[in-house]
Amino acid sequence: MTVTTLDAGPSHILDNPAWAALTGPHAHFAERIGHAIRYHREVAPFHAVSDEDDPRAWTDLAALVGPGGTASVRGVTAAPQGWEVIRTGHGVQLVDNSLRAAPDPDAVRLGPDDVPEILDLVARTEPGPYLPRTVEMGTYLGIRHHGRLIALAGERLHPPGWTEISAVCTDPDHRGRGLATRLVRAVAAGIKERGERPFLHAAATNANAIRLYESIGFTLRRRTVFSLVRQTGAAALEEAAQPCRCPRQRRPLGPCGRRCDT
């Protein structure tokens, strides 16, 4: 197996934030088989493996997504045998270094009843993936104008001790008024009140967003890549295809969700 990863070096919890979140504070959103994990489909489109260089993790991910299934993973530019990379996107990860967090009197807490409006704003501004239950991942704040939602920001990935600020967007007709900055500061205020540290991701090509985040106190931690990979059903499923050899019970899946071979 050959897997190409970026920024190899001493591990940090933010090197694999989806795994850290789903095995920690977001465990109630997790679907897991062994060394592979993902969010419930309506919560977020992210998958993670415990170690990109571990063949067991890719076998488990293949079982999790099923034949022909896709997975959105970070840090992988060349998938192992039995997988293909459909597309990749380069990004940056920034962490709070000197951000001045402050509540905003005009920011309102958003919930499930606001999802149709949130999805409409997201569709028009494309800040990144947002699904019907993403609002459950943390606190989402919005600003309204004459009752209409015009700006949004909230909490997404939640590794222990950290919270990602995400879905930062403003209606095109209301840009240039500092609404995004106000909401980022307001979301960060809630994060810091819990004793946690904000971080965020941005597309490497989004120079305006990166410039804004750096100007208000975020600093670049690392560059990364996000890839959509598809399971092609070859070597990745060899282990799963073997019949159960358990001396007590002959069943296709063991209690952990993997093929039982002990």
Side-chain angles (χ1 to χ4, degrees):
M1 184 183 76
T2 301
V3 179
T4 303
T5 59
L6 299 183
D7 297 336
S11 62
H12 185 283
I13 195 169
L14 293 187
D15 292 344
N16 199 351
W19 177 269
L22 285 167
T23 56
H26 277 175
H28 56 293
F29 292 131
E31 297 177 352
R32 179 176 181 177
I33 294 180
H35 299 270
I37 203 164
R38 70 181 174 193
Y39 278 91
H40 290 312
R41 288 180 176 85
E42 292 191 341
V43 175
F46 307 124
H47 302 65
V49 292
S50 58
D51 182 352
E52 295 98 336
D53 293 319
D54 186 346
R56 296 174 302 171
W58 289 93
T59 297
D60 290 341
L61 186 60
L64 185 63
V65 303
T70 60
S72 177
V73 294
R74 58 146 307 280
V76 174
T77 56
Q81 186 178 4
W83 293 84
E84 63 178 345
V85 176
I86 300 174
R87 63 176 179 268
T88 60
H90 292 269
V92 294
Q93 184 185 81
L94 301 102
V95 297
D96 167 28
N97 186 44
S98 58
L99 175 67
R100 179 178 60 81
D104 191 291
D106 295 326
V108 296
R109 177 77 180 260
L110 302 175
D113 292 343
D114 302 297
V115 168
E117 275 192 287
I118 294 172
L119 293 177
D120 176 69
L121 180 60
V122 166
R124 289 185 288 109
T125 57
E126 299 183 339
Y130 200 100
L131 301 176
R133 292 182 57 201
T134 299
V135 72
E136 299 175 25
M137 297 179 75
T139 298
Y140 278 85
L141 301 178
I143 292 178
R144 295 183 177 278
H145 179 70
H146 296 316
R148 183 169 179 258
L149 185 66
I150 60 169
L152 167 71
E155 301 173 357
R156 192 169 63 179
L157 298 180
H158 191 182
W162 298 79
T163 299
E164 180 193 25
I165 298 177
S166 183
V168 181
C169 57
T170 303
D171 185 294
D173 293 337
H174 296 273
R175 290 175 180 167
R177 297 166 48 190
L179 300 182
T181 297
R182 289 166 54 187
L183 285 175
V184 168
R185 294 190 193 279
V187 173
I191 295 170
K192 292 190 175 187
E193 283 179 4
R194 299 195 300 264
E196 298 172 348
R197 189 174 175 186
F199 74 106
L200 50 79
H201 292 97
T205 56
N206 194 345
N208 290 336
I210 295 171
R211 190 178 304 113
L212 168 64
Y213 295 140
E214 290 180 330
S215 72
I216 63 176
F218 285 90
T219 187
L220 176 68
R221 179 182 172 268
R222 68 179 297 171
R223 301 180 184 277
T224 187
V225 65
F226 297 89
S227 298
L228 182 67
V229 298
R230 179 163 51 212
Q231 196 277 115
T232 57
L237 283 180
E238 284 185 1
E239 178 181 330
Q242 298 299 316
C244 178
R245 298 189 294 275
C246 177
R248 295 183 180 180
Q249 302 178 66
R250 295 191 177 276
R251 57 187 179 183
L253 294 179
C256 65
R258 296 181 62 190
R259 296 284 176 178
C260 177
D261 58 1
T262 59

